[in-house]
Amino acid sequence: MESTSSSNTHASGISPEFTQHLIASQSALYAFIASLMGGVSEANDVLQETNLKLCNKASEYDPAQPFLRWAYVFARFEVMAWRKKQARSRIVLDDELVAMIASDWDATAGDASQQITALEGCLSKLPQQQRELLDARYGRGEAVQDIAARQCRTENAMSALFYRVRKTLADCIELALRQEAYE
């Protein structure tokens, strides 16, 4: 009978920490892939291929390095493979542009998690009614017209309210990120 290893990994060889990084990075990876592809129609397929490659290479990940920066490399190669498959189709972005976009994303990889943390903190500071309105509009995708009718307000008044709340969040996030930069 084999002895059990002291490392904390699943039967697949993937650690729980790696799994957490992979799950937490899905939105950022999807956005990165969609931007490199010039659209989102097949970005989910490329994301899944990227996830497979990342899982297959999990043992090579160095936890001391930023996960997203490492994952973006795999995503970029998967986008390039997709582009080769699409060679006979109309391709909007050329390889040089894809490289430039990938470089820009790489430069901001660390910022994404800080921005999400700041957003979550700022959302928690909003009054409950404003959070509920944001959830209706952006979480459930309800139309401003429908929310306005339910709130007995005009559509213009509701749009102005959403603008003020977004501006408040943007200012709060900017302040939080500046404060974090000085810590």
Side-chain angles (χ1 to χ4, degrees), residues 4-73:
T4 56
S5 172
S6 63
S7 69
N8 191 11
T9 59
H10 296 261
S12 64
I14 298 175
S15 72
E17 293 79 16
F18 182 89
T19 303
Q20 288 174 342
H21 284 304
L22 185 63
I23 291 169
S25 70
Q26 292 303 288
S27 295
L29 279 172
Y30 179 82
F32 177 71
I33 289 167
S35 71
L36 292 181
M37 293 175 68
V40 295
S41 62
E42 292 176 294
N44 276 323
D45 294 337
V46 174
L47 175 62
Q48 294 310 314
E49 290 298 319
T50 301
N51 286 334
L52 284 173
K53 289 289 188 321
L54 291 170
C55 288
N56 289 336
K57 299 289 187 175
S59 63
E60 297 176 20
Y61 171 63
D62 176 5
Q65 300 300 317
F67 182 83
L68 269 177
R69 183 167 290 154
W70 182 74
Y72 284 159
V73 172

Side-chain angles (χ1 to χ4, degrees), residues 54-113:
L54 291 170
C55 288
N56 289 336
K57 299 289 187 175
S59 63
E60 297 176 20
Y61 171 63
D62 176 5
Q65 300 300 317
F67 182 83
L68 269 177
R69 183 167 290 154
W70 182 74
Y72 284 159
V73 172
F74 288 90
R76 181 175 176 203
F77 283 116
E78 286 306 309
V79 168
M80 292 168 73
W82 173 83
R83 289 173 48 80
K84 284 183 182 175
K85 290 178 191 172
Q86 303 296 316
R88 295 173 198 232
S89 301
R90 179 181 66 90
I91 301 284
V92 177
L93 303 177
D94 67 4
D95 289 336
E96 186 176 322
L97 182 56
V98 168
M100 283 178 22
I101 293 170
S103 173
D104 288 347
W105 274 87
D106 187 42
T108 61
D111 296 342
S113 63

Side-chain angles (χ1 to χ4, degrees), residues 167-178:
K167 176 82 170 104
T168 299
L169 282 174
D171 292 345
C172 177
I173 291 167
E174 183 179 336
L175 179 62
L177 292 174
R178 265 193 270 134

Side-chain angles (χ1 to χ4, degrees), residues 111-140:
D111 296 342
S113 63
Q114 293 170 333
Q115 291 169 344
I116 290 170
T117 301
L119 172 61
E120 289 169 345
C122 292
L123 282 170
S124 71
K125 294 176 185 176
L126 288 177
Q128 181 66 27
Q129 183 182 10
Q130 289 181 355
R131 286 196 308 263
E132 289 172 3
L133 289 173
L134 289 175
D135 184 52
R137 177 70 182 114
Y138 302 108
R140 295 188 302 270

Side-chain angles (χ1 to χ4, degrees), residues 152-177:
C152 299
R153 297 182 185 196
T154 67
E155 192 173 336
N156 285 343
M158 189 56 61
S159 292
L161 175 63
F162 279 120
Y163 172 80
R164 287 191 306 272
V165 173
R166 286 191 311 267
K167 176 82 170 104
T168 299
L169 282 174
D171 292 345
C172 177
I173 291 167
E174 183 179 336
L175 179 62
L177 292 174

